[in-house]
Amino acid sequence: TTTEGFAAANVLVDVYANWVPRERILTTNLWSSELSKLVANAMLAQRVSSINSISQLCEKTGADVAEVSRAIGKDSRIGPKFLGASVGFGGSCFQKDILNLVYICESEGLHEVAKYWQQVVDMNEHQKSTFARRIISSLFNTVTGKKIAVFGFAFKKDTGDVRETSAMTVC
């Protein structure tokens, strides 16, 4: 918000404009930039937790979560991305960014807002533990002496990245 800050931002815009069309370059203040990154990941994680919560309702009612996901994904306001039910989100960013958002909200006295975002993480943990309990239950409530193969251990398809993978809960 200072003259020097605006000048520095314009220099960076000029540098990036060598590779990116100017109309695609965003400039913001520091907090807007920080919150944009945190909120983008928080909202993606929220979608994962939302469809996972619906997957549990589908199991109880006999609905097919894949059909529900496909149907709501056709709504142009929602779209199909991040609507695949799963063990839960993993990786090094989603949970860290949500917890940073929770911390900032708490620091600013926004306790209800902090609780809202904390619930996304809590739902993810609930989904992971529910999945692990289901596996143990299907193995007659014991894994002692049993060999279990886990396919798809990475937290994101087509990678070998296992940081904070949800599959870890199963193992």
Side-chain angles (χ1 to χ4, degrees):
T1 56
T2 66
T3 304
E4 295 85 9
F6 286 120
N10 286 329
V11 167
L12 285 173
V13 167
D14 290 340
V15 170
Y16 280 103
N18 289 305
W19 300 280
V20 179
R22 283 186 185 273
E23 63 273 7
R24 295 202 56 205
I25 299 173
L26 302 175
T27 58
T28 69
N29 69 36
L30 181 66
W31 272 108
S32 295
S33 175
E34 179 66 18
L35 289 179
S36 295
K37 192 255 191 233
L38 297 178
V39 172
N41 279 339
M43 292 188 84
L44 293 174
Q46 178 189 45
R47 286 175 67 98
V48 173
S49 285
S50 293
I51 199 65
N52 284 341
S53 72
I54 296 305
S55 75
Q56 293 184 27
L57 180 60
C58 288
E59 287 179 15
K60 294 290 186 183
T61 62
D64 182 333
V65 70
E67 291 175 358
V68 172
S69 177
R70 188 178 75 240
I72 65 172
K74 295 289 184 187
D75 185 324
S76 62
R77 298 167 300 170
I78 298 170
K81 294 184 178 179
F82 287 83
L83 288 179
S86 65
V87 180
F89 60 78
S92 63
C93 290
F94 283 4
Q95 182 164 318
K96 169 187 61 72
D97 286 351
I98 293 172
L99 293 175
N100 278 332
L101 194 58
V102 168
Y103 175 81
I104 292 167
C105 291
E106 287 287 352
S107 296
E108 296 295 332
L110 301 169
H111 306 294
E112 292 301 315
V113 177
K115 282 191 231 176
Y116 174 83
W117 288 109
Q118 180 63 51
Q119 187 59 38
V120 173
V121 174
D122 295 347
M123 179 54 65
N124 194 57
E125 292 302 315
H126 174 72
Q127 182 73 359
K128 291 189 292 188
S129 63
T130 298
F131 186 81
R133 280 194 309 272
R134 185 177 305 120
I135 289 175
I136 293 168
S137 175
S138 72
L139 296 170
F140 306 105
N141 292 319
T142 183
V143 293
T144 304
K146 296 176 180 163
K147 294 180 182 177
I148 302 169
V150 177
F151 297 102
F153 197 78
F155 83 88
K156 183 169 34 173
K157 74 177 191 174
D158 299 325
T159 73
D161 195 340
V162 297
R163 293 173 294 166
E164 305 294 325
T165 179
S166 294
M168 199 84 67
T169 304
V170 176
C171 297

